[in-house]
Structures are given as structure tokens and as C-alpha cells.
Amino acid sequence: MDNTRWSIIASGEGANRVSFLYYCQFRNPAIEDRVLLLNTTTADVRPEKTFEYILRKDPNLGQIYDQIKRDKICIFGKSPSGAGNNWKVGENEARDDFDTIRRYISNLKLGGRDVILCINTLGGGTGNGSIPYLIHELKYGKRIVSAGENSYMALGILPYDFEAPQRFFNTICGISRLLKFDGDAKQNADLLLLVDNDQVEKILGIGGMGKEERYYRINQETIKAINMMIAAGSERSKSTIDVADYYQLPSNLGVYHFTPCMSLGNDPEIFDIETAMEDAIRNPMVPVDPKTAIMAYVIVVAPQKYVDDRIFSQEELENITRDWAVKNLAGKRGGVLRYSSLVSSQDAKTLDVMILLGGFSLEKIISKSLQRYYDFKDSLKTEGGEVELRDEANERIRVKISIKDIEAIEANIKDYIAVAEERIRRAHREELDIKKKLSEWGFSRGSPSWRQ
Amino acid sequence: MNEYIITASFIAAILIAGFLLLVNFGVTIVTYFGIGLVAVSIAGGVIYTWWKTAKDKTIEKFKLETLSKMREEFNKTSNYVNEAAELVDVKDDREGLGALREGFIKLGLFDEKFESIAKGIGKHTLTFIEQQTRKGEQRLRSLETLTAGTYKPELDKYAQGLHIRLMKLYESGYPLENGLKDFEGVQNRIPKSLIEMIEKKKTISNLFSAMLMKCYGEAEALLNLAGTYGDVSRAEGDIRMAKERAGDIDAYTSLLASARNRLKEILGPAFIKRRSILLSALQRTMELLGDDIDGLKGSIEEILSKVSATTDPGRLEELMELENNFKNNLVLLLAKLNDDLLRVESEITAFGPTKDLWARDDGIGMLLEKADPSTEISAFTEEAIVALGRAVNQYRNDIMFKKVVENFGKMEPIIERKLKEHGRLSGADLRVKYAEKFLQYYSTKHPEVEFREKPPVLLARSHVLGRTRVEGGP
């Protein structure tokens, strides 16, 4: 069986950093060199600006940057100074320059069933505006890039708590548009991974460090999650979690948001998988109550020797996952969907565990943004059924958006939340009266199940 | 170019002269002129060739070279035949060589003693000389082939004989492994000509002589060593006789073998005792090191395998060298272990563990210093093994505790959560290696919990109090 090929399309400064770091640190055979960095201003993709800190930390990466800047960095749109934290500008620029972007995407030479991981920061303008539009356009538009059935996974990075209200307006709009795009309300990304800068910073305990170093560490944690997610589909996996496993059933359930929970660098001499999973669940990359999660993908990467010696095994992992899910996920039966995959690695020296927690209540995330969302939205001046979004730092960046569109965005996310909350409620529902159900299915009182 | 012009001019002059004679004197005169011209040309050609050959020195040089080469070949074959005479009867071959030499002398190609080329070779043409030397060479090759045919089986017998003697020496314990390997390599080579056979004989003779010398040297050295362990007069006698009968290979090798066997008997008890002490020390060291201690374990393992393979009492000196190696390596290993201990302990100290949880063994440093490699093996081993045992135990304990403190950051919230859920937590509940130590370490960081050793369990103080109240209630 051929391994699934992955590509990364990152739009906006923050996402560019994440992708560049990934490209430099993990030369993953599943991705090879299929990475595309999009931005609306050349200033954002000059190494001395966007990648300055990364390149300063490791000057050797300058060579990699030189290699990719010719054919892997696409500057789109006509704005001379980016999207100015204005997602609508980002979207419009991507729409106007779609042909340019499409040419770059064609250069990635995507295959029919390739996965495209689209990365953007949710508080910004360029990525947050362009990525939801691009996913929709590539997935449903007629100007297709490849004739196959690509899957589109999105990674959205939530802003820091201290950031301005406009960023949280962008965040709510961004999450909504990644989940369902505008008026047609169709599912947009096949899967949405959420990562919160604040939360990751808290997990890593790096609050006291300088800003650049904190960003760097958070990005590193994020790329490790991406790498583990891809690892589960590799040939080193004892039970492959295929791309379709990641998104098909969640899409059918109508709930397809996830967040990674990671426990990395565990000494395999000390920790067993169960303890590492207990540690991982304490570290979700967004604020979440795990007891509301209805899905979990458990990916364990262990040193080859320990797998060969059967200290860790797929069977054991599945048993542990079952017990763990009952204890940690929504309801008494451990949610509704779970997969587990043990990946052996010759290079790994530690026991690394990632749990992709899915379908959890978005309440904690939304509540974090909602006040500032309304603060910003209510401050907008309505004129002729439209509001004008402008960049206070740059008067030239301004764009109008209709109230109807904002309402559609709100309606989409509310619909999604309603489905998610319903799924959680159902998972928490009491067990069926099995004897009654058996009777309804035509089994008589004398059958063995009755006697149990 | 000049030759062509001269020839063309000459022909033109003849034609002009013929034409003039025809015009002035008629056909008859021209006919006489033509016949005369042909006769003059033939005579001129012959005279010119003779003159040219007589003048050319190259031919003479060729003659001399050919004959010199012939004599050289003859002498070479003659030498080989003489060397072959050491193993086979070469009377016929010598007669054949004599006849060939006489033949050359009779033909006047060499002087009577066959020492130099005859002066009158000018009368012989080069072709004649070449024919004669070719015949001579063929004769030499055939004589060589005939000699080789009789020489080869004798050479094989000779090599076999030497090999048997070497094996006798080897079996008596002389260290001839490498020499024998070289010897057998040459012995198994199949020579294709008499020359190669002669070379093979020379090589195996040289190798054999070198090994005999080595054995003699070894016997003398062993004699000196054994002198302190018993009466070596008989072995000494054997060695002296061997020297006296150096020309008799059989006697020489037998005497050397006998000397060594006698010396082995004298050295035997001391060797066995020493080897047994060393083996035991090595095995105890290996057992203490186990599989988890790296460093110089490899060198101890190597020494152990060498000592196990050293079973010949004649190798007592080698055993003593291995003993010294062991002592030096063990001292190095102890020093490295001490460095590792200090490093790990400083890492642990950074976590500030309480003394009841972890303490360094301050006595180890002193114990390690007491292991002095200049002392006798038994005393050294006792000191070193005690030090090693203490150091290894402490090292294992330190490594374990280091893992506990390093991983505590991850374990702490897990313990906290489980305690909150159940009020008590046993090692088995924790499902990690060194669970007991984790619980104990947790209790030192959290005064609100209590650690009970038997069975190891962590109790929230409220839980303890609650239960006490129940147990002590009315």
C-alpha cells in the first residue's frame, strides 16, 4: 500500500513560520518538499523579518530558505502592506489572485488522494482570510487543481488572550469559515485542528521567556503534533490510521474539530503507555474539558527496540485506549469513536504520545473570544447593510462586508456548535435497556443474553 | 633523395650512351654494351653487399649479446641444478649440462673454460649463432623440466618433514601459531617450475629456521622463569644439548620440545593457582558490572576471554601480563565509575532530595583509592571488588533516583490526581517503574500526604485522619 502524500499550504506570517520550521526540522518522506508559503506582502517573507529568529537560532537554515524562496513562496494580492489583520482583505486578495496561487499549488504536483494541510493563525488577516476561501475553492470550485479527491485538513492557531478585540472577531469568523464556508454552509475543511498559543505556552511553562523564543517553542510543539499525526499513516505504524479515518466518520457525525494533547519525551524505561496517556490528556492544546470529547485518536511513537521486545504492543495499546476512553471521554462508554496506532521508530529514544481529542465542547474556546468578538462587532459602523473593516495602523487598508455575511458566519458556527453539543449529550445518555432492545429485535427471554 | 637522383641520372646516362652507340656504331656494339653493363651490375652488387656487411658493427654486437645471454641462462640453470642437489641426485642433469657446454666450445663459440666468448666468432654468421643458442636454450629448459620432475616430490617430503617437527614444538606449547600459518601458506603453494620450487624451498627453510630460533629463545626465557619455581637442571640439559646438536634438526626439535614439557611441569602448579585466582577475579568483576554498566566493561571481558584461552603453564609470563592488565583496567574502571557517580550525584543534588530519600555513599572514594594495582592479585582483588560492589550499587541507585527526580515533573500531577480520586495510592496503582520511589519523593514535596513503607502506599493526611477517627471511634 502506498503511503499517503501530504502537502502543507501555509498562509500568513505566523503560519509561514510554523511551516518553515516543519520543513527544516522534519524532512518527512510523506511531505518531501511539498510546502507552499503564501503571503500578501514581500516584507513578510523576507528572512530578516518573518524567519529572523529561526535563522538566528540556526544559521544553517539560511541555505534552506534560499532553496525554497524561489518556488515555494507565493506573494499574492496587490496590497502593499499585507492584509492588516483584516480577514476580508486576505480573502479578497486570494480571490483576485487565485490564478497565481493555483499556479504555485500546481507546482506541488498533488496526486489524487493527497492530503493538504492548510495552516493559518486565526487572529490574523492574510491566512485567516485566504485559507478558508482557498479550501472552499479547491474543494468545490470548478478551477480544480488536481482531478482527484484531495482531503483538506486545516490547522487554526488561536491568538493570545492579551491580543486586541479585532483578533477575536477574526478568530470567530475564521473558525466558522474553516468549518462551513459562507452562504452554502457546506462543510469546508475535512478536519479542523485547533491550537491555542496561551494553552501551549502554559503547558510548556515558558511564560517567562522572551516573545520570540516563546513563539518558537510553541511552533515547535505544533510541528511535533503535525508530525505525529502523519506518522500514524506511515508503514512503521502497527495499525495504520489512514487519512480517511481522520475525517470520514467525524464528517458523517457533523463534528470534525480536534486538538492534539501531547506527552513527549517520556523515558520508556519509566513510563508505560497508560501513564503517558494520562499525562497527555492533561495537555490539550486548546482549553477543553476532555469529558466532553466524543472522539480520540491515540498515536504512540516508541523506540523500535521496545516495540520489537513487545514492551509496547498494538494490542496492549488498544486495551489501554479502551479503558482510558471510558474513564476520560464523554459518557460512560468512552465517546463514540476512537482509533489507536503504535508507531515504531528507529530514531526515537523516548515514548511519545499524542491524543487527538475530537468533538469536544467548543464552549471554552468560544467563551474566550466571544466578549471581544461582540466588543469589536458592535463598534463597527453599519451603513447600507454593510460594515467597513479598516486597519487602524494603515488607513489605506479598508474593506466592506455585508451584515448578511456576518450573520451567515455566525449562523454557521452556531449550527455547528448545536450539532456538536447534541453529539456530546447523546454520548452522555444513559445506557439502553438492553433487554428491552433485545426483545424489540425479536430475541426471546430464553436467549443467553437474557440470563447474563 | 640523393640515391634516387643518382640512380635516375645513372639510368639516363646509360640510355643516352646506348643511344649514341646505336647511332654511331650500330646494333652489335649496343648489344655488347648491354651485356657488359649487366655483368658489371651483378659484380658491383656482390662487392657492395660484402663491403656493407663487413662495415656494419651491429651484427657483431648482436652475436655477442646472443652468446652472453646464452651463457647467463646456462649458468642460471646450472645453479638451480646445483641447489636441487640438496634434495635429489642430479648426476644426469649435470652430465647433460656438461655436454651442452662442450658442444658450444667445440663450435668455437666460447673459450675452453666456458668463461668468455671465443675470439673467432666473426667467422660465424649471426643466423648460425642464433640457431645454436636457440637449440641450447631448448636443451636447458628440458633439463630443468627433468630436474623439477624429480625435485617436486622430494620438496613436498622435505616441507612435510619440517612441518611435523614444527607441530611437535607447537604441541609442546611454543607459541608458533602465526609462524605455522605462514609456513603452511607457503607449503600449500604449488610451484610451476624448477625456479619456483627452489624459491619455495628457500622460503620454508627460512621460516623454519626463524621459528626454531624463536623456540630456542622462548625455551631460554622459560628456563629463567622456571628457575624460581623448581629444579630446572634436566630442562637446562636438554636446551644445552639442543644447542650442541643444532645441525641435527630431529634431535634439535625433540630436545627443545622435551625441555618445554619439563618446564611446563615445573611451572604447572603456580600457573594453575594464578590462573584460577585471576579467572575468579574477572568473573566476579563481570558479575558485578552486569549489563547496565558500560565504560571499560569491554576491556575486562576481553581479558577474561584471553585468560580462558590461556591454558598452557608455559605461558605463565603471558598470564602475569594479563593479570597486570586486569588490575590496571579495573583501576581505570573504578576511576571512571567514580567520575560518573560524581556527575550523576551532582545532577541529583540539584533537585535537593532529602537524606532519608537519597544519600551519597561518601566512603566509596576512599575504598576506590585503596585498590592499589601494585599489590598482589588476591589482596588487590579483595580491595577492588569491595570498592566496585559499593560503587556499582550506588551508581545503580543513583541512576534510578535520577530517573525518578527527572521524571517527577510528569508524575507529580498524575499522583496528585489519583490521590484526589482515591485518597490513597499504592505503587501498583501508579503503573510506572520505581513507583515506590515516586510516591516517597512525592511525600517529601507534599506535607499534606504521608508515605507508608510497608506496604508502600501514599495516603492523603485527611484520609489518614478520617480513617484513624473511624478506627479509634466509639
Side-chain angles (χ1 to χ4, degrees):
Chain A
M1 188 182 74
D2 288 342
N3 287 331
T4 306
R5 295 182 351 143
W6 288 62
S7 301
I8 293 180
I9 299 177
S11 182
E13 192 179 349
N16 277 190
R17 279 199 207 100
V18 174
S19 310
F20 181 63
L21 202 59
Y22 185 88
Y23 185 72
C24 294
Q25 293 193 354
F26 297 104
R27 299 313 290 259
N28 195 319
I31 290 190
E32 292 169 334
D33 62 346
R34 288 183 297 279
V35 172
L36 176 60
L37 311 185
L38 304 174
N39 217 324
T40 44
T41 164
T42 47
D44 277 2
V45 286
R46 286 213 314 263
E48 58 272 27
K49 192 165 183 277
T50 304
F51 307 121
E52 187 185 24
Y53 191 74
I54 301 174
L55 297 177
R56 207 165 58 222
K57 273 189 92 85
D58 185 355
N60 294 330
L61 302 184
Q63 212 177 346
I64 299 179
Y65 174 78
D66 288 338
Q67 282 167 14
I68 68 164
K69 72 179 172 191
R70 265 170 284 133
D71 58 345
K72 302 208 175 298
I73 293 180
C74 164
I75 307 302
F76 66 95
K78 295 175 185 67
S79 166
S81 48
N85 286 332
N86 192 328
W87 65 262
K88 192 64 187 171
V89 176
E91 181 182 314
N92 288 347
E93 298 279 27
R95 182 179 283 114
D96 293 346
D97 235 353
F98 182 74
D99 284 338
T100 306
I101 296 171
R102 195 176 51 168
R103 257 203 319 276
Y104 275 89
I105 295 175
S106 299
N107 286 345
L108 295 176
K109 298 195 170 46
L110 299 174
R113 291 192 176 271
D114 283 11
V115 185
I116 299 151
L117 176 67
C118 302
I119 306 176
N120 66 280
T121 52
L122 291 163
T126 301
N128 197 29
S130 59
I131 287 289
Y133 164 75
L134 287 174
I135 292 175
H136 186 263
E137 194 61 25
L138 295 170
K139 199 170 167 184
Y140 300 111
K142 285 173 190 151
R143 300 177 291 181
I144 50 170
V145 175
S146 77
E149 296 169 6
N150 299 118
S151 29
Y152 296 88
M153 301 207 177
L155 167 63
I157 301 167
L158 294 154
Y160 277 103
D161 266 349
F162 62 74
E163 296 194 58
Q166 184 175 345
R167 298 241 177 205
F168 291 90
F169 176 76
N170 289 342
T171 299
I172 297 279
C173 295
I175 293 175
S176 175
R177 290 161 63 252
L178 284 170
L179 291 167
K180 291 166 181 267
F181 194 75
D182 290 356
D184 61 10
K186 271 194 213 165
Q187 177 177 351
N188 198 19
D190 293 308
L191 179 145
L192 171 60
L193 274 178
L194 290 168
V195 170
D196 178 22
N197 280 341
D198 270 318
Q199 183 78 4
V200 180
E201 189 176 302
K202 215 181 292 169
I203 292 166
L204 296 175
I206 52 172
M209 292 180 178
K211 188 180 86 172
E212 297 285 11
E213 181 63 18
R214 277 185 287 139
Y215 287 173
Y216 181 80
R217 299 277 186 103
I218 291 168
N219 289 346
Q220 270 205 322
E221 206 67 1
T222 308
I223 63 172
K224 284 176 195 165
I226 297 172
N227 210 44
M228 286 195 76
M229 197 171 161
I230 297 172
S234 75
E235 59 197 15
R236 292 175 289 116
S237 165
K238 299 288 164 196
S239 173
T240 308
I241 298 179
D242 202 12
V243 178
D245 299 328
Y246 278 128
Y247 70 83
Q248 257 172 12
L249 286 173
S251 296
N252 292 344
L253 291 171
V255 186
Y256 39 89
H257 65 279
F258 286 83
T259 193
C261 311
M262 305 221 287
S263 175
L264 306 178
N266 298 303
D267 185 340
E269 284 287 326
I270 300 277
F271 286 84
D272 62 5
I273 292 174
E274 195 177 339
T275 314
M277 281 173 71
E278 276 190 54
D279 182 48
I281 196 65
R282 290 191 312 108
N283 304 322
M285 291 174 93
V286 292
V288 62
D289 173 7
K291 269 310 234 183
T292 63
I294 59 167
M295 297 176 278
Y297 293 75
V298 179
I299 296 151
V300 176
V301 179
Q304 177 95 42
K305 180 180 170 293
Y306 289 82
V307 179
D308 291 347
D309 294 349
R310 293 198 60 80
I311 292 167
F312 304 126
S313 70
Q314 180 65 33
E315 299 77 37
E316 183 204 13
L317 173 62
E318 280 170 15
N319 284 334
I320 292 171
T321 304
R322 184 194 57 215
D323 296 343
W324 173 89
V326 168
K327 200 169 153 193
N328 291 281
L329 295 187
K332 289 180 181 166
R333 296 172 297 282
V336 293
L337 185 65
R338 64 172 178 267
Y339 285 91
S340 53
S341 173
L342 174 67
V343 184
S344 64
S345 164
Q346 278 184 333
D347 303 328
K349 289 190 169 54
T350 56
L351 175 71
D352 296 338
V353 171
M354 180 175 82
I355 301 167
L356 266 186
L357 216 53
F360 49 83
S361 171
L362 288 166
E363 188 184 346
K364 286 191 178 185
I365 296 168
I366 299 296
S367 65
K368 175 180 160 171
S369 309
L370 211 55
Q371 180 63 53
R372 280 167 287 188
Y373 169 81
Y374 280 117
D375 287 348
F376 182 76
K377 189 184 151 195
D378 295 345
S379 71
L380 297 171
K381 212 166 106 186
T382 311
E383 211 174 288
E386 285 182 328
V387 291
E388 189 177 65
L389 299 173
R390 67 172 71 173
D391 183 5
E392 282 168 12
N394 191 338
E395 278 298 306
R396 286 189 301 171
I397 300 175
R398 54 177 64 192
V399 68
K400 287 190 172 167
I401 177 168
S402 76
I403 293 291
K404 242 169 82 183
D405 285 348
I406 294 179
E407 282 169 356
I409 287 169
E410 269 183 29
N412 284 345
I413 194 165
K414 283 175 184 167
D415 285 351
Y416 182 85
I417 289 169
V419 174
E421 292 298 314
E422 173 56 22
R423 294 287 174 207
I424 297 165
R425 264 194 300 280
R426 278 198 213 172
H428 278 285
R429 208 167 48 186
E430 285 302 309
E431 283 190 14
L432 295 170
D433 180 348
I434 198 74
K435 286 179 183 170
K436 190 177 158 199
K437 281 288 167 196
L438 281 170
S439 169
E440 281 174 24
W441 281 59
F443 294 103
S444 61
R445 281 181 172 274
S447 69
S449 301
W450 279 94
R451 289 195 292 273
Q452 280 173 8
Chain B
M1 189 65 169
N2 285 340
E3 286 173 356
Y4 293 132
I5 294 168
I6 291 165
T7 310
S9 308
F10 186 67
I11 292 166
I14 288 168
L15 289 173
I16 292 165
F19 179 71
L20 289 173
L21 286 173
L22 181 67
V23 171
N24 292 318
F25 304 106
V27 176
T28 313
I29 292 301
V30 172
T31 308
Y32 290 142
F33 175 71
I35 292 165
L37 201 62
V38 170
V40 167
S41 298
I42 292 166
V46 170
I47 291 163
Y48 177 79
T49 307
W50 172 81
W51 172 77
K52 194 82 178 165
T53 311
K55 201 183 165 190
D56 194 349
K57 297 288 177 201
T58 317
I59 303 291
E60 289 306 313
K61 205 173 144 196
F62 276 150
K63 285 181 189 172
L64 288 172
E65 270 177 15
T66 311
L67 287 169
S68 293
K69 204 177 153 203
M70 180 64 235
R71 198 160 54 101
E72 212 173 284
E73 287 295 311
F74 181 89
N75 287 338
K76 261 192 205 170
T77 306
S78 192
N79 286 340
Y80 294 142
V81 169
N82 286 338
E83 285 190 47
E86 287 176 13
L87 296 182
V88 290
D89 178 10
V90 291
K91 195 179 151 213
D92 292 347
D93 308 286
R94 279 180 176 150
E95 279 175 7
L97 282 168
L100 182 63
R101 189 179 57 190
E102 289 307 313
F104 280 128
I105 293 166
K106 267 184 197 163
L107 286 170
L109 297 175
F110 295 96
D111 68 357
E112 284 183 359
K113 288 182 179 170
F114 200 67
E115 281 171 355
S116 57
I117 296 161
K119 283 178 184 160
I121 55 155
K123 65 183 178 190
H124 298 299
T125 62
L126 178 61
T127 314
F128 173 76
I129 289 171
E130 278 179 341
Q131 279 172 352
Q132 292 307 317
T133 53
R134 213 162 18 245
K135 273 186 202 167
E137 274 170 12
Q138 278 168 359
R139 180 65 186 140
L140 286 176
R141 297 291 89 84
S142 100
L143 277 170
E144 275 179 16
T145 311
L146 286 171
T147 312
T150 50
Y151 189 73
K152 190 175 178 299
E154 291 307 315
L155 175 63
D156 289 345
K157 260 191 239 165
Y158 172 75
Q160 187 58 27
L162 296 189
H163 188 258
I164 288 168
R165 288 171 183 111
L166 286 175
M167 284 308 290
K168 193 172 180 182
L169 290 168
Y170 175 66
E171 278 157 13
S172 70
Y174 288 104
L176 297 178
E177 293 88 350
N178 294 336
L180 265 170
K181 210 179 278 173
D182 293 345
F183 183 91
E184 283 161 1
V186 181
Q187 191 186 1
N188 294 333
R189 219 181 284 156
I190 298 167
K192 286 173 189 148
S193 63
L194 180 62
I195 305 158
E196 284 181 11
M197 286 174 202
I198 299 292
E199 287 304 318
K200 178 176 170 175
K201 198 238 165 195
K202 273 186 193 166
T203 312
I204 55 173
S205 297
N206 290 340
L207 285 170
F208 181 74
S209 302
M211 279 189 273
L212 285 193
M213 275 172 72
K214 191 180 174 187
C215 292
Y216 188 83
E218 157 104 359
E220 279 189 321
L222 216 53
L223 185 71
N224 285 336
L225 179 70
T228 55
Y229 293 92
D231 177 14
V232 292
S233 55
R234 291 174 72 190
E236 198 175 9
D238 284 345
I239 296 170
R240 198 178 48 244
M241 271 172 71
K243 195 177 180 183
E244 284 164 11
R245 300 179 65 184
D248 181 351
I249 292 172
D250 253 340
Y252 189 82
T253 49
S254 296
L255 284 163
L256 281 186
S258 157
R260 201 173 193 288
N261 286 331
R262 291 186 203 283
L263 291 168
K264 274 196 308 195
E265 273 174 38
I266 297 164
L267 292 169
F271 176 85
I272 291 165
K273 190 179 167 197
R274 203 154 198 150
R275 183 172 178 272
S276 144
I277 293 170
L278 183 55
L279 266 179
S280 150
L282 282 159
Q283 280 156 358
R284 282 169 73 190
T285 307
M286 290 298 289
E287 275 164 25
L288 279 173
L289 290 173
D291 292 329
D292 53 337
I293 312 282
D294 289 332
L296 293 175
K297 193 182 162 191
S299 64
I300 302 288
E301 209 162 14
E302 198 184 319
I303 296 169
L304 175 62
S305 102
K306 279 184 184 167
V307 174
S308 304
T310 309
T311 51
D312 174 14
R315 296 196 180 180
L316 180 64
E317 208 160 359
E318 209 175 296
L319 188 77
M320 285 154 77
E321 209 171 293
L322 288 169
E323 194 179 286
N324 283 334
N325 273 351
F326 164 67
K327 288 198 274 187
N328 292 331
N329 274 290
L330 189 50
V331 167
L332 281 176
L333 192 147
L334 290 170
K336 187 179 179 299
L337 202 54
N338 194 36
D339 288 347
D340 289 350
L341 271 174
L342 292 174
R343 181 179 45 79
V344 176
E345 286 175 356
S346 88
E347 286 167 11
I348 292 173
T349 313
F351 288 90
T354 55
K355 286 207 168 166
D356 56 328
L357 203 58
W358 174 83
R360 71 169 83 225
D361 185 346
D362 291 325
I364 289 176
M366 224 165 63
L367 279 176
L368 296 179
E369 278 171 19
K370 276 172 89 180
D372 177 6
S374 65
T375 54
E376 181 268 325
I377 180 79
S378 298
F380 169 81
T381 305
E382 283 320 306
E383 296 287 1
I385 293 282
V386 170
L388 182 66
R390 283 266 289 273
V392 165
N393 277 345
Q394 183 64 25
Y395 183 72
R396 287 198 178 110
N397 190 43
D398 286 356
I399 289 291
M400 180 267 284
F401 196 74
K402 186 175 162 242
K403 281 185 182 281
V404 170
V405 290
E406 280 177 349
N407 289 286
F408 185 71
K410 286 202 166 174
M411 288 309 301
E412 193 175 21
I414 294 170
I415 296 173
E416 201 170 292
R417 209 182 78 190
K418 291 194 176 209
L419 259 179
K420 221 176 255 177
E421 282 172 14
H422 310 292
R424 70 197 305 279
L425 189 61
S426 71
D429 295 333
L430 208 50
R431 299 179 65 89
V432 287
K433 206 172 174 184
Y434 315 131
E436 194 182 323
K437 275 281 168 199
F438 275 113
L439 296 181
Q440 203 178 352
Y441 191 49
Y442 184 90
S443 73
T444 65
K445 300 265 172 195
H446 297 266
E448 74 279 8
V449 297
E450 184 187 325
F451 177 73
R452 286 187 183 170
E453 275 184 43
K454 286 178 185 168
V457 67
L458 203 60
L459 297 163
R461 287 216 187 268
S462 57
H463 186 80
V464 178
L465 289 173
R467 204 177 53 178
T468 311
R469 229 177 278 132
V470 172
E471 283 166 1

